[in-house]
Amino acid sequence: MTLFEFAWKNISRDKRNYIYYFVNCVCSVFVFFLFSVLSFHPALKVIDTHSAMGMILAVGEAISVGFSICFISYSMRCFLKNRSRQLGLITILGASKKQLNRLIFMENMLVGLLSVGTGILFGLIFSRFFLDVANRLIGVSNFTFYFPTQAILLTVVVMGLVFLGIAYFTPKCIRKKEVVRLLKAEFKDDKPQKLIPVLVVFFLLVPILLWAFAGASPSARTMQSSVLFPFLLVLAAVLGTYLLFSVGMRLWMAVQIKGRSNIRLLCVGDQRAKLKTNVQSMTISAILYAVSFFAVIILFSVSANVKTETEKIFPYALTYNTWTEQADAARDLAVIENELQDLPGYKMTDIRLWYPDAESRSPIMAQSDYNQIMDFLGRESITLSDTGVYLVAGSADQSLDKIPSGTEQFFRANQLSLSVEGQSDQVITLTGFTRGICVVSDAVFRVLESQLTEKTITAFLYDDWENNSESPDRIFTALEDTLQKGDANVVSAYRYYRSSQIQNNLTLYIGGMLSFVFLLAVASFVYSRLYSEVDKDCWKFRSIVKIGLSGKELSSVLSRLVFMILCVPFGVALVYLWVGVFITERYTLVSNIPTALAFTAFLIVLQIILYLWVRNAYRKNVFQKVYES
């Protein structure tokens, strides 16, 4: 029998150990293939690879590959641990270190090749379904099914290299162990945790991150915008979670020992024996849970609130303004009015901005003009004294806290000492068109008017603008010459809305797929922790049952174990989720809290159902093995 035949017989006969590793590999290939199918779709050929949508697709695939490497490597480690007894027996039979390495390499490559083929096959079967989902979610109708030759080739090359690298380096990571250690590795308890290095790194990172978050210095802002900052943040979260579970488990064991439960010693002994494995599994599960939940909530909220966000950034359906004196404003406005005047809810108004000089981007506005716009938009009007000024934000993502320096100097030059009597974070022009608007009383404005230069923007509103693409398209076509020359400018809320909708929905689709992969990984870690050592646990429970452990007490032990592995990381992830939601409230135009509340309630119900199902299935499996004799 050749070494290849021996490797194949190992795979075909030891299905229990191989199926866990094989399924994880197939899932990784399947998800990467679906990303590739979407990336190479003919409908997306018009997308520039350097554009936002192109970057979203590229980042999605990069994350998929990186996660696949980590996920498959972790699965391989668990797989080799479960096979350590077999490797010890092979060594006893006379296999050399070189032969053992070649055997492991061949087995990995066989599993990898089968995984690539199976993943692509499943991808072809389900690609039509996922393209239909993309059609509905992204909001386009041309994601039709096609035969993805390029996606197949890319998946074979990329995932083939991933499996080749893992198959090549895995045998080199196996240290030369004694035969006895290999035979007992499957039944050995965990090594003691080394928390000192983790504590040192964590307490070095925390001050740096706090300084970057709270600091207002240029170096702190540079740190926030650095590429390394997100990685340091994730590293600190992982280390902090690891320490939380490590210390928490030790405290919980101390509490259990002081209790009066009949099973406390058994529970504490089991938790102490597998402390390192449990903490690692719970840490990874909590982080993946938190990332998945947070990503889905934020992306879903952003995707569902595109219209609301668009109206905050640009409160009108259409605006027109001139840039040069060559523009024929009367003719252009007549074209726009003729196109829009018959639409339901049509109305128009002029936004009159007055600038102290040609270089200023902080205009002044009379109170009466501002209140006219407030009435046009259905907002509350304001009342100012002759010594007051009302500040209006120029960008939807930031408020104006003080009078701009140039405008303040202009007021002082005219012997005016004005104080801020109010402010609004709601824009009345396109976000970024101004740096902020200062509204003054009509009496003050009449004193200043002769020194100001007027700039007029004509704004239009009509109902159902988010579904009307024809009217803006006809207007842009009719004014094409003027717009190309740069004499005038027309801004359509629909075009921004539609572009944002497609981009946000594409991000939601990709983020949803990645979150689904992360949740599959959590399921894999839970399965690995519960079932990879079920024989050892059952051997231990069978011995204790013989000396008096009742079925009810055994059931309680198993329930506690499943709760600890499955529900505790889930609870920690929910805490992280809400911390992230409250932090992002400072940076979002639309609140994510309503979406987070509904999603959290749904997750809790789903987790309860999942816990009951996993607990019953695991308990049934253990009871069959313990009481089979």
Side-chain angles (χ1 to χ4, degrees), residues 232 235 237 245 337 382 543:
L232 294 177
L235 179 60
F245 285 130
E337 288 183 62
I382 63 170
S543 301

Side-chain angles (χ1 to χ4, degrees), residues 442-455:
D442 289 356
V444 172
F445 179 77
R446 284 192 292 270
V447 173
L448 302 174
E449 184 175 2
S450 60
Q451 304 175 55
L452 300 173
T453 304
E454 181 185 6
K455 180 74 175 179

